[in-house]
Amino acid sequence: MTPPSSFSSPSSSPPPPSSSSSAPSSSSPGLVRRLLAAQHPDLDGPVRLVASGWDNDIYRLGPSLSVRLPRRAEAVPLMHNEQRWLPVLRPVLPVAIPDILRQGAPDALYPWPWSINTWLPGTPATGVPVPGRLSFAADLAAFMSALHVPAPADAPSNPVRGVALSTRSEAMDRRFATGRVPPALRPLWNELVRIPAWTGPRLWLHGDPHPANMLVGEDGRLSGIVDFGDLTAGDPATDLAAAWLAFDAPARSVFRAALDVDDATWERARGWALNIGAAIAADVDPTPEMAAIAEHALREVQLP
């Protein structure tokens, strides 16, 4: 993959993560309304929970806004990364990503920073039958090609994304040990982890390239990408794992044909798909949506 250009660093640095609390935080629509009244009283509208992930709760605020609150202290640096870098990345990407309109500060009601973002229209790709995802395979390739350019030196690091695939072997051992990842996939992991590592520059990465983070418009085309909590820089193979996380073989072929990617990077991407799929499968209580992503990925990685 030949990186064409670089995005520059913002001129100001984000504040350090709050250390006022490290315990998991419980949010609710009532809490969101109180936070808005205290810090952004000009914003009002119905509030409802629409997603609750490992790191954040997402609420819809009226017809056009969303509120994103970390669920745990470990997610606070990820929130700062989004607040700092999404305004830099957004103007140069070919599909919509969240626009951070306001920032919320820690206070007596809630211990961590939070964001008010645009609400992006579209249906999560998990709601599109797998064969139908062919219609946005080239769009996703265009998005990744635009994103995967050299990152500045102060781009965020992530110990579990964009790194050498071999560093994930210990975690994979634990996942196989749960019995929730088919043992027949261990020889494939052992093969893929030996693929030559990325030696190019650290490229910008989304970091969490599964279909629940892809939005599809009524025309079947890619309309948006969400959840940049794992935003980092490193090996583009991490993001290219979408080829197996989201697509079947025909769409995967279209996706690869639209990319400038060598065979080693493509095979590492397959390893990353196995790694991410196994991480979801090993979760003790995945949502039905996430369980379906894991099942699909662990089946597809057995194919080219």
Side-chain angles (χ1 to χ4, degrees):
M1 177 177 292
T2 303
S5 61
S6 177
F7 300 132
S8 61
S9 169
S11 58
S12 60
S13 297
S18 168
S19 58
S20 59
S21 173
S22 60
S25 180
S26 176
S27 71
S28 67
L31 172 64
V32 172
R33 284 190 287 269
R34 292 193 296 274
L35 288 170
L36 291 169
Q39 299 189 33
H40 301 279
D42 58 313
L43 299 180
D44 194 14
V47 176
R48 63 182 178 90
L49 180 68
V50 293
S52 187
W54 285 334
D55 293 321
N56 298 282
D57 288 334
I58 313 297
Y59 292 85
R60 187 163 186 180
L61 170 60
S64 59
L65 300 177
S66 66
V67 180
R68 186 171 174 88
L69 293 90
R71 299 186 66 195
R72 56 194 184 120
E74 292 84 353
V76 171
L78 311 184
M79 175 65 66
H80 284 313
N81 289 340
E82 290 188 336
Q83 291 174 343
R84 182 181 185 188
W85 291 106
L86 290 194
V88 175
L89 298 174
R90 184 172 177 268
V92 296
L93 295 174
V95 300
I97 67 172
D99 188 4
I100 298 177
L101 302 177
R102 307 273 185 94
Q103 296 183 19
D107 62 11
L109 293 172
Y110 183 76
W112 301 318
W114 48 284
S115 292
I116 300 170
N117 302 344
T118 50
W119 176 264
L120 297 184
T123 300
T126 49
V128 177
V130 173
R133 298 175 190 174
L134 175 67
S135 63
F136 68 83
D139 298 333
L140 185 62
F143 167 82
M144 291 188 176
S145 295
L147 177 63
H148 292 171
V149 300
D154 57 343
S157 297
N158 187 325
V160 298
R161 295 289 191 269
V163 294
L165 194 59
S166 59
T167 66
R168 308 309 303 143
S169 289
E170 184 176 337
M172 285 295 291
D173 288 343
R174 293 194 298 271
R175 293 162 190 162
F176 280 116
T178 67
R180 292 187 285 272
V181 180
L185 291 174
R186 184 179 282 277
L188 176 61
W189 172 256
N190 292 340
E191 173 189 341
L192 295 173
V193 82
R194 292 195 295 268
I195 300 295
W198 174 252
T199 58
R202 295 174 72 237
L203 306 185
W204 275 117
L205 307 177
H206 175 275
D208 201 13
H210 60 68
N213 290 334
M214 306 168 190
L215 299 177
V216 182
E218 293 182 359
D219 60 358
R221 304 288 298 275
L222 188 69
S223 64
I225 298 289
V226 297
D227 194 353
F228 283 75
D230 280 316
L231 180 72
T232 189
D235 181 2
T238 298
D239 278 358
L240 301 181
W244 293 267
L245 291 166
F247 297 138
D248 57 12
R252 195 156 48 246
S253 178
V254 170
F255 180 66
R256 182 173 186 181
L259 295 165
D260 177 16
V261 58
D262 58 48
D263 290 344
T265 299
W266 188 251
E267 285 300 290
R268 285 196 313 279
R270 190 178 173 199
W272 275 104
L274 175 50
N275 172 66
I276 295 171
I280 300 169
D283 185 8
V284 294
D285 190 26
T287 65
E289 179 184 53
M290 296 306 292
I293 291 172
E295 180 181 1
H296 171 85
L298 296 182
R299 180 176 62 251
E300 289 295 316
V301 293
Q302 300 176 64
L303 305 173

PDB file of all heavy atoms in Angstrom, residues 64-97:
ATOM      1  N   SER A  64     -31.416  14.994  15.439  1.00  0.00           N
ATOM      2  CA  SER A  64     -30.179  15.217  14.703  1.00  0.00           C
ATOM      3  C   SER A  64     -28.907  15.151  15.534  1.00  0.00           C
ATOM      4  O   SER A  64     -27.821  15.382  15.002  1.00  0.00           O
ATOM      5  CB  SER A  64     -30.232  16.585  14.004  1.00  0.00           C
ATOM      6  OG  SER A  64     -30.413  17.616  14.961  1.00  0.00           O
ATOM      7  N   LEU A  65     -28.996  14.817  16.818  1.00  0.00           N
ATOM      8  CA  LEU A  65     -27.816  14.803  17.681  1.00  0.00           C
ATOM      9  C   LEU A  65     -27.696  13.473  18.407  1.00  0.00           C
ATOM     10  O   LEU A  65     -28.657  12.720  18.556  1.00  0.00           O
ATOM     11  CB  LEU A  65     -27.892  15.930  18.720  1.00  0.00           C
ATOM     12  CG  LEU A  65     -27.973  17.365  18.202  1.00  0.00           C
ATOM     13  CD1 LEU A  65     -28.122  18.329  19.367  1.00  0.00           C
ATOM     14  CD2 LEU A  65     -26.753  17.708  17.361  1.00  0.00           C
ATOM     15  N   SER A  66     -26.468  13.190  18.868  1.00  0.00           N
ATOM     16  CA  SER A  66     -26.226  12.037  19.729  1.00  0.00           C
ATOM     17  C   SER A  66     -25.330  12.469  20.878  1.00  0.00           C
ATOM     18  O   SER A  66     -24.587  13.450  20.775  1.00  0.00           O
ATOM     19  CB  SER A  66     -25.566  10.886  18.949  1.00  0.00           C
ATOM     20  OG  SER A  66     -24.263  11.251  18.519  1.00  0.00           O
ATOM     21  N   VAL A  67     -25.427  11.752  21.980  1.00  0.00           N
ATOM     22  CA  VAL A  67     -24.608  12.014  23.161  1.00  0.00           C
ATOM     23  C   VAL A  67     -23.832  10.741  23.461  1.00  0.00           C
ATOM     24  O   VAL A  67     -24.410   9.653  23.554  1.00  0.00           O
ATOM     25  CB  VAL A  67     -25.469  12.428  24.371  1.00  0.00           C
ATOM     26  CG1 VAL A  67     -24.585  12.701  25.588  1.00  0.00           C
ATOM     27  CG2 VAL A  67     -26.307  13.654  24.029  1.00  0.00           C
ATOM     28  N   ARG A  68     -22.530  10.882  23.631  1.00  0.00           N
ATOM     29  CA  ARG A  68     -21.629   9.751  23.797  1.00  0.00           C
ATOM     30  C   ARG A  68     -20.932   9.880  25.150  1.00  0.00           C
ATOM     31  O   ARG A  68     -20.208  10.854  25.399  1.00  0.00           O
ATOM     32  CB  ARG A  68     -20.623   9.738  22.648  1.00  0.00           C
ATOM     33  CG  ARG A  68     -19.678   8.555  22.555  1.00  0.00           C
ATOM     34  CD  ARG A  68     -18.941   8.652  21.222  1.00  0.00           C
ATOM     35  NE  ARG A  68     -17.902   7.665  21.042  1.00  0.00           N
ATOM     36  CZ  ARG A  68     -18.086   6.449  20.536  1.00  0.00           C
ATOM     37  NH1 ARG A  68     -19.302   6.070  20.189  1.00  0.00           N
ATOM     38  NH2 ARG A  68     -17.070   5.626  20.377  1.00  0.00           N
ATOM     39  N   LEU A  69     -21.163   8.900  26.030  1.00  0.00           N
ATOM     40  CA  LEU A  69     -20.617   8.935  27.379  1.00  0.00           C
ATOM     41  C   LEU A  69     -19.777   7.690  27.638  1.00  0.00           C
ATOM     42  O   LEU A  69     -20.267   6.559  27.441  1.00  0.00           O
ATOM     43  CB  LEU A  69     -21.734   8.993  28.430  1.00  0.00           C
ATOM     44  CG  LEU A  69     -22.587  10.250  28.491  1.00  0.00           C
ATOM     45  CD1 LEU A  69     -23.795  10.115  27.583  1.00  0.00           C
ATOM     46  CD2 LEU A  69     -23.057  10.509  29.922  1.00  0.00           C
ATOM     47  N   PRO A  70     -18.522   7.859  28.086  1.00  0.00           N
ATOM     48  CA  PRO A  70     -17.731   6.682  28.463  1.00  0.00           C
ATOM     49  C   PRO A  70     -18.399   5.898  29.586  1.00  0.00           C
ATOM     50  O   PRO A  70     -19.006   6.474  30.496  1.00  0.00           O
ATOM     51  CB  PRO A  70     -16.405   7.290  28.934  1.00  0.00           C
ATOM     52  CG  PRO A  70     -16.336   8.628  28.280  1.00  0.00           C
ATOM     53  CD  PRO A  70     -17.758   9.110  28.205  1.00  0.00           C
ATOM     54  N   ARG A  71     -18.249   4.593  29.538  1.00  0.00           N
ATOM     55  CA  ARG A  71     -18.795   3.717  30.574  1.00  0.00           C
ATOM     56  C   ARG A  71     -17.774   3.368  31.643  1.00  0.00           C
ATOM     57  O   ARG A  71     -18.137   2.886  32.707  1.00  0.00           O
ATOM     58  CB  ARG A  71     -19.301   2.414  29.942  1.00  0.00           C
ATOM     59  CG  ARG A  71     -20.414   2.589  28.933  1.00  0.00           C
ATOM     60  CD  ARG A  71     -20.955   1.248  28.480  1.00  0.00           C
ATOM     61  NE  ARG A  71     -21.605   0.561  29.592  1.00  0.00           N
ATOM     62  CZ  ARG A  71     -21.908  -0.741  29.578  1.00  0.00           C
ATOM     63  NH1 ARG A  71     -21.587  -1.481  28.527  1.00  0.00           N
ATOM     64  NH2 ARG A  71     -22.518  -1.289  30.597  1.00  0.00           N
ATOM     65  N   ARG A  72     -16.483   3.580  31.344  1.00  0.00           N
ATOM     66  CA  ARG A  72     -15.432   3.181  32.268  1.00  0.00           C
ATOM     67  C   ARG A  72     -14.230   4.090  32.082  1.00  0.00           C
ATOM     68  O   ARG A  72     -14.085   4.744  31.050  1.00  0.00           O
ATOM     69  CB  ARG A  72     -15.048   1.713  32.055  1.00  0.00           C
ATOM     70  CG  ARG A  72     -14.627   1.387  30.628  1.00  0.00           C
ATOM     71  CD  ARG A  72     -14.588  -0.105  30.349  1.00  0.00           C
ATOM     72  NE  ARG A  72     -14.080  -0.369  29.005  1.00  0.00           N
ATOM     73  CZ  ARG A  72     -12.991  -1.081  28.743  1.00  0.00           C
ATOM     74  NH1 ARG A  72     -12.292  -1.615  29.740  1.00  0.00           N
ATOM     75  NH2 ARG A  72     -12.585  -1.287  27.516  1.00  0.00           N
ATOM     76  N   ALA A  73     -13.377   4.124  33.097  1.00  0.00           N
ATOM     77  CA  ALA A  73     -12.232   5.032  33.062  1.00  0.00           C
ATOM     78  C   ALA A  73     -11.317   4.755  31.884  1.00  0.00           C
ATOM     79  O   ALA A  73     -10.731   5.682  31.308  1.00  0.00           O
ATOM     80  CB  ALA A  73     -11.455   4.935  34.373  1.00  0.00           C
ATOM     81  N   GLU A  74     -11.181   3.479  31.506  1.00  0.00           N
ATOM     82  CA  GLU A  74     -10.278   3.124  30.404  1.00  0.00           C
ATOM     83  C   GLU A  74     -10.721   3.752  29.085  1.00  0.00           C
ATOM     84  O   GLU A  74      -9.930   3.876  28.154  1.00  0.00           O
ATOM     85  CB  GLU A  74     -10.205   1.605  30.255  1.00  0.00           C
ATOM     86  CG  GLU A  74      -9.514   0.891  31.400  1.00  0.00           C
ATOM     87  CD  GLU A  74     -10.413   0.605  32.582  1.00  0.00           C
ATOM     88  OE1 GLU A  74     -11.589   1.088  32.601  1.00  0.00           O
ATOM     89  OE2 GLU A  74      -9.957  -0.078  33.513  1.00  0.00           O
ATOM     90  N   ALA A  75     -11.990   4.137  28.989  1.00  0.00           N
ATOM     91  CA  ALA A  75     -12.494   4.732  27.750  1.00  0.00           C
ATOM     92  C   ALA A  75     -12.260   6.229  27.676  1.00  0.00           C
ATOM     93  O   ALA A  75     -12.473   6.830  26.623  1.00  0.00           O
ATOM     94  CB  ALA A  75     -13.990   4.433  27.604  1.00  0.00           C
ATOM     95  N   VAL A  76     -11.819   6.845  28.770  1.00  0.00           N
ATOM     96  CA  VAL A  76     -11.637   8.297  28.768  1.00  0.00           C
ATOM     97  C   VAL A  76     -10.559   8.742  27.775  1.00  0.00           C
ATOM     98  O   VAL A  76     -10.785   9.683  27.000  1.00  0.00           O
ATOM     99  CB  VAL A  76     -11.340   8.804  30.190  1.00  0.00           C
ATOM    100  CG1 VAL A  76     -10.943  10.278  30.174  1.00  0.00           C
ATOM    101  CG2 VAL A  76     -12.559   8.596  31.084  1.00  0.00           C
ATOM    102  N   PRO A  77      -9.373   8.110  27.723  1.00  0.00           N
ATOM    103  CA  PRO A  77      -8.407   8.514  26.696  1.00  0.00           C
ATOM    104  C   PRO A  77      -8.950   8.344  25.281  1.00  0.00           C
ATOM    105  O   PRO A  77      -8.596   9.118  24.372  1.00  0.00           O
ATOM    106  CB  PRO A  77      -7.209   7.593  26.944  1.00  0.00           C
ATOM    107  CG  PRO A  77      -7.343   7.157  28.365  1.00  0.00           C
ATOM    108  CD  PRO A  77      -8.817   7.069  28.608  1.00  0.00           C
ATOM    109  N   LEU A  78      -9.804   7.342  25.071  1.00  0.00           N
ATOM    110  CA  LEU A  78     -10.385   7.124  23.752  1.00  0.00           C
ATOM    111  C   LEU A  78     -11.323   8.280  23.390  1.00  0.00           C
ATOM    112  O   LEU A  78     -11.370   8.718  22.234  1.00  0.00           O
ATOM    113  CB  LEU A  78     -11.129   5.796  23.708  1.00  0.00           C
ATOM    114  CG  LEU A  78     -10.385   4.566  24.255  1.00  0.00           C
ATOM    115  CD1 LEU A  78     -11.214   3.310  24.044  1.00  0.00           C
ATOM    116  CD2 LEU A  78      -9.016   4.426  23.598  1.00  0.00           C
ATOM    117  N   MET A  79     -12.066   8.763  24.378  1.00  0.00           N
ATOM    118  CA  MET A  79     -12.931   9.922  24.146  1.00  0.00           C
ATOM    119  C   MET A  79     -12.095  11.145  23.782  1.00  0.00           C
ATOM    120  O   MET A  79     -12.417  11.888  22.844  1.00  0.00           O
ATOM    121  CB  MET A  79     -13.764  10.198  25.395  1.00  0.00           C
ATOM    122  CG  MET A  79     -14.628  11.451  25.328  1.00  0.00           C
ATOM    123  SD  MET A  79     -15.928  11.365  24.065  1.00  0.00           S
ATOM    124  CE  MET A  79     -16.954  10.049  24.719  1.00  0.00           C
ATOM    125  N   HIS A  80     -10.989  11.367  24.497  1.00  0.00           N
ATOM    126  CA  HIS A  80     -10.115  12.493  24.156  1.00  0.00           C
ATOM    127  C   HIS A  80      -9.557  12.352  22.742  1.00  0.00           C
ATOM    128  O   HIS A  80      -9.434  13.347  22.016  1.00  0.00           O
ATOM    129  CB  HIS A  80      -8.966  12.589  25.160  1.00  0.00           C
ATOM    130  CG  HIS A  80      -9.351  13.168  26.487  1.00  0.00           C
ATOM    131  ND1 HIS A  80     -10.102  14.313  26.603  1.00  0.00           N
ATOM    132  CD2 HIS A  80      -9.076  12.763  27.752  1.00  0.00           C
ATOM    133  CE1 HIS A  80     -10.278  14.598  27.884  1.00  0.00           C
ATOM    134  NE2 HIS A  80      -9.669  13.671  28.602  1.00  0.00           N
ATOM    135  N   ASN A  81      -9.210  11.119  22.337  1.00  0.00           N
ATOM    136  CA  ASN A  81      -8.704  10.910  20.977  1.00  0.00           C
ATOM    137  C   ASN A  81      -9.738  11.321  19.940  1.00  0.00           C
ATOM    138  O   ASN A  81      -9.417  11.982  18.938  1.00  0.00           O
ATOM    139  CB  ASN A  81      -8.317   9.445  20.775  1.00  0.00           C
ATOM    140  CG  ASN A  81      -7.066   9.052  21.525  1.00  0.00           C
ATOM    141  OD1 ASN A  81      -6.260   9.900  21.904  1.00  0.00           O
ATOM    142  ND2 ASN A  81      -6.892   7.762  21.745  1.00  0.00           N
ATOM    143  N   GLU A  82     -10.987  10.917  20.153  1.00  0.00           N
ATOM    144  CA  GLU A  82     -12.040  11.308  19.218  1.00  0.00           C
ATOM    145  C   GLU A  82     -12.208  12.821  19.182  1.00  0.00           C
ATOM    146  O   GLU A  82     -12.319  13.428  18.103  1.00  0.00           O
ATOM    147  CB  GLU A  82     -13.362  10.650  19.622  1.00  0.00           C
ATOM    148  CG  GLU A  82     -13.428   9.163  19.409  1.00  0.00           C
ATOM    149  CD  GLU A  82     -14.810   8.606  19.650  1.00  0.00           C
ATOM    150  OE1 GLU A  82     -15.593   9.225  20.389  1.00  0.00           O
ATOM    151  OE2 GLU A  82     -15.115   7.550  19.091  1.00  0.00           O
ATOM    152  N   GLN A  83     -12.257  13.441  20.361  1.00  0.00           N
ATOM    153  CA  GLN A  83     -12.471  14.882  20.414  1.00  0.00           C
ATOM    154  C   GLN A  83     -11.333  15.652  19.750  1.00  0.00           C
ATOM    155  O   GLN A  83     -11.556  16.688  19.127  1.00  0.00           O
ATOM    156  CB  GLN A  83     -12.625  15.322  21.873  1.00  0.00           C
ATOM    157  CG  GLN A  83     -13.909  14.828  22.520  1.00  0.00           C
ATOM    158  CD  GLN A  83     -13.984  15.152  24.004  1.00  0.00           C
ATOM    159  OE1 GLN A  83     -12.981  15.458  24.643  1.00  0.00           O
ATOM    160  NE2 GLN A  83     -15.184  15.085  24.557  1.00  0.00           N
ATOM    161  N   ARG A  84     -10.136  15.122  19.853  1.00  0.00           N
ATOM    162  CA  ARG A  84      -8.990  15.818  19.272  1.00  0.00           C
ATOM    163  C   ARG A  84      -8.864  15.596  17.772  1.00  0.00           C
ATOM    164  O   ARG A  84      -8.573  16.536  17.019  1.00  0.00           O
ATOM    165  CB  ARG A  84      -7.714  15.345  19.970  1.00  0.00           C
ATOM    166  CG  ARG A  84      -6.470  16.058  19.446  1.00  0.00           C
ATOM    167  CD  ARG A  84      -5.211  15.572  20.115  1.00  0.00           C
ATOM    168  NE  ARG A  84      -4.061  16.367  19.679  1.00  0.00           N
ATOM    169  CZ  ARG A  84      -2.804  16.075  19.980  1.00  0.00           C
ATOM    170  NH1 ARG A  84      -2.530  15.012  20.710  1.00  0.00           N
ATOM    171  NH2 ARG A  84      -1.821  16.843  19.558  1.00  0.00           N
ATOM    172  N   TRP A  85      -9.050  14.357  17.320  1.00  0.00           N
ATOM    173  CA  TRP A  85      -8.644  14.009  15.959  1.00  0.00           C
ATOM    174  C   TRP A  85      -9.772  13.941  14.935  1.00  0.00           C
ATOM    175  O   TRP A  85      -9.528  14.138  13.735  1.00  0.00           O
ATOM    176  CB  TRP A  85      -7.882  12.684  15.968  1.00  0.00           C
ATOM    177  CG  TRP A  85      -6.549  12.787  16.633  1.00  0.00           C
ATOM    178  CD1 TRP A  85      -6.185  12.314  17.862  1.00  0.00           C
ATOM    179  CD2 TRP A  85      -5.378  13.430  16.106  1.00  0.00           C
ATOM    180  NE1 TRP A  85      -4.876  12.618  18.131  1.00  0.00           N
ATOM    181  CE2 TRP A  85      -4.351  13.299  17.070  1.00  0.00           C
ATOM    182  CE3 TRP A  85      -5.099  14.094  14.915  1.00  0.00           C
ATOM    183  CZ2 TRP A  85      -3.075  13.812  16.875  1.00  0.00           C
ATOM    184  CZ3 TRP A  85      -3.823  14.604  14.715  1.00  0.00           C
ATOM    185  CH2 TRP A  85      -2.823  14.462  15.695  1.00  0.00           C
ATOM    186  N   LEU A  86     -11.014  13.671  15.348  1.00  0.00           N
ATOM    187  CA  LEU A  86     -12.072  13.567  14.340  1.00  0.00           C
ATOM    188  C   LEU A  86     -12.261  14.872  13.563  1.00  0.00           C
ATOM    189  O   LEU A  86     -12.507  14.826  12.348  1.00  0.00           O
ATOM    190  CB  LEU A  86     -13.387  13.119  14.974  1.00  0.00           C
ATOM    191  CG  LEU A  86     -13.445  11.668  15.469  1.00  0.00           C
ATOM    192  CD1 LEU A  86     -14.879  11.256  15.749  1.00  0.00           C
ATOM    193  CD2 LEU A  86     -12.803  10.697  14.481  1.00  0.00           C
ATOM    194  N   PRO A  87     -12.140  16.043  14.191  1.00  0.00           N
ATOM    195  CA  PRO A  87     -12.249  17.267  13.386  1.00  0.00           C
ATOM    196  C   PRO A  87     -11.159  17.392  12.327  1.00  0.00           C
ATOM    197  O   PRO A  87     -11.352  18.074  11.310  1.00  0.00           O
ATOM    198  CB  PRO A  87     -12.129  18.380  14.436  1.00  0.00           C
ATOM    199  CG  PRO A  87     -12.605  17.753  15.707  1.00  0.00           C
ATOM    200  CD  PRO A  87     -12.107  16.335  15.648  1.00  0.00           C
ATOM    201  N   VAL A  88     -10.016  16.746  12.537  1.00  0.00           N
ATOM    202  CA  VAL A  88      -8.936  16.763  11.551  1.00  0.00           C
ATOM    203  C   VAL A  88      -9.240  15.805  10.403  1.00  0.00           C
ATOM    204  O   VAL A  88      -9.025  16.119   9.228  1.00  0.00           O
ATOM    205  CB  VAL A  88      -7.598  16.381  12.218  1.00  0.00           C
ATOM    206  CG1 VAL A  88      -6.481  16.268  11.183  1.00  0.00           C
ATOM    207  CG2 VAL A  88      -7.228  17.394  13.295  1.00  0.00           C
ATOM    208  N   LEU A  89      -9.745  14.640  10.736  1.00  0.00           N
ATOM    209  CA  LEU A  89      -9.963  13.604   9.726  1.00  0.00           C
ATOM    210  C   LEU A  89     -11.230  13.834   8.902  1.00  0.00           C
ATOM    211  O   LEU A  89     -11.269  13.520   7.703  1.00  0.00           O
ATOM    212  CB  LEU A  89     -10.050  12.237  10.413  1.00  0.00           C
ATOM    213  CG  LEU A  89      -8.799  11.784  11.182  1.00  0.00           C
ATOM    214  CD1 LEU A  89      -9.085  10.489  11.936  1.00  0.00           C
ATOM    215  CD2 LEU A  89      -7.625  11.607  10.238  1.00  0.00           C
ATOM    216  N   ARG A  90     -12.241  14.373   9.525  1.00  0.00           N
ATOM    217  CA  ARG A  90     -13.560  14.448   8.892  1.00  0.00           C
ATOM    218  C   ARG A  90     -13.559  15.136   7.537  1.00  0.00           C
ATOM    219  O   ARG A  90     -14.192  14.641   6.588  1.00  0.00           O
ATOM    220  CB  ARG A  90     -14.531  15.143   9.860  1.00  0.00           C
ATOM    221  CG  ARG A  90     -15.968  15.204   9.389  1.00  0.00           C
ATOM    222  CD  ARG A  90     -16.874  15.743  10.509  1.00  0.00           C
ATOM    223  NE  ARG A  90     -18.240  15.876  10.041  1.00  0.00           N
ATOM    224  CZ  ARG A  90     -18.733  16.981   9.507  1.00  0.00           C
ATOM    225  NH1 ARG A  90     -17.955  18.054   9.378  1.00  0.00           N
ATOM    226  NH2 ARG A  90     -19.981  17.028   9.112  1.00  0.00           N
ATOM    227  N   PRO A  91     -12.885  16.281   7.355  1.00  0.00           N
ATOM    228  CA  PRO A  91     -13.008  16.986   6.071  1.00  0.00           C
ATOM    229  C   PRO A  91     -12.409  16.254   4.878  1.00  0.00           C
ATOM    230  O   PRO A  91     -12.733  16.601   3.733  1.00  0.00           O
ATOM    231  CB  PRO A  91     -12.249  18.306   6.322  1.00  0.00           C
ATOM    232  CG  PRO A  91     -12.201  18.462   7.798  1.00  0.00           C
ATOM    233  CD  PRO A  91     -12.107  17.074   8.333  1.00  0.00           C
ATOM    234  N   VAL A  92     -11.536  15.283   5.108  1.00  0.00           N
ATOM    235  CA  VAL A  92     -10.838  14.669   3.989  1.00  0.00           C
ATOM    236  C   VAL A  92     -11.316  13.249   3.694  1.00  0.00           C
ATOM    237  O   VAL A  92     -10.757  12.584   2.821  1.00  0.00           O
ATOM    238  CB  VAL A  92      -9.313  14.669   4.237  1.00  0.00           C
ATOM    239  CG1 VAL A  92      -8.792  16.097   4.300  1.00  0.00           C
ATOM    240  CG2 VAL A  92      -8.960  13.921   5.514  1.00  0.00           C
ATOM    241  N   LEU A  93     -12.347  12.791   4.377  1.00  0.00           N
ATOM    242  CA  LEU A  93     -12.844  11.440   4.159  1.00  0.00           C
ATOM    243  C   LEU A  93     -14.059  11.459   3.243  1.00  0.00           C
ATOM    244  O   LEU A  93     -14.860  12.396   3.281  1.00  0.00           O
ATOM    245  CB  LEU A  93     -13.182  10.786   5.503  1.00  0.00           C
ATOM    246  CG  LEU A  93     -11.971  10.567   6.424  1.00  0.00           C
ATOM    247  CD1 LEU A  93     -12.408  10.050   7.787  1.00  0.00           C
ATOM    248  CD2 LEU A  93     -10.965   9.608   5.778  1.00  0.00           C
ATOM    249  N   PRO A  94     -14.222  10.423   2.425  1.00  0.00           N
ATOM    250  CA  PRO A  94     -15.265  10.452   1.400  1.00  0.00           C
ATOM    251  C   PRO A  94     -16.657  10.092   1.893  1.00  0.00           C
ATOM    252  O   PRO A  94     -17.616  10.207   1.127  1.00  0.00           O
ATOM    253  CB  PRO A  94     -14.768   9.423   0.375  1.00  0.00           C
ATOM    254  CG  PRO A  94     -13.970   8.455   1.182  1.00  0.00           C
ATOM    255  CD  PRO A  94     -13.306   9.273   2.248  1.00  0.00           C
ATOM    256  N   VAL A  95     -16.793   9.606   3.122  1.00  0.00           N
ATOM    257  CA  VAL A  95     -18.110   9.357   3.703  1.00  0.00           C
ATOM    258  C   VAL A  95     -18.170  10.056   5.054  1.00  0.00           C
ATOM    259  O   VAL A  95     -17.145  10.428   5.636  1.00  0.00           O
ATOM    260  CB  VAL A  95     -18.418   7.852   3.851  1.00  0.00           C
ATOM    261  CG1 VAL A  95     -18.398   7.157   2.506  1.00  0.00           C
ATOM    262  CG2 VAL A  95     -17.463   7.185   4.818  1.00  0.00           C
ATOM    263  N   ALA A  96     -19.369  10.212   5.559  1.00  0.00           N
ATOM    264  CA  ALA A  96     -19.569  10.953   6.799  1.00  0.00           C
ATOM    265  C   ALA A  96     -19.014  10.194   8.000  1.00  0.00           C
ATOM    266  O   ALA A  96     -19.105   8.965   8.085  1.00  0.00           O
ATOM    267  CB  ALA A  96     -21.059  11.223   7.006  1.00  0.00           C
ATOM    268  N   ILE A  97     -18.431  10.952   8.923  1.00  0.00           N
ATOM    269  CA  ILE A  97     -18.079  10.455  10.245  1.00  0.00           C
ATOM    270  C   ILE A  97     -18.655  11.441  11.248  1.00  0.00           C
ATOM    271  O   ILE A  97     -19.043  12.552  10.884  1.00  0.00           O
ATOM    272  CB  ILE A  97     -16.556  10.281  10.440  1.00  0.00           C
ATOM    273  CG1 ILE A  97     -15.836  11.635  10.437  1.00  0.00           C
ATOM    274  CG2 ILE A  97     -15.987   9.364   9.360  1.00  0.00           C
ATOM    275  CD1 ILE A  97     -14.360  11.537  10.811  1.00  0.00           C
TER     276      ILE A  97
END
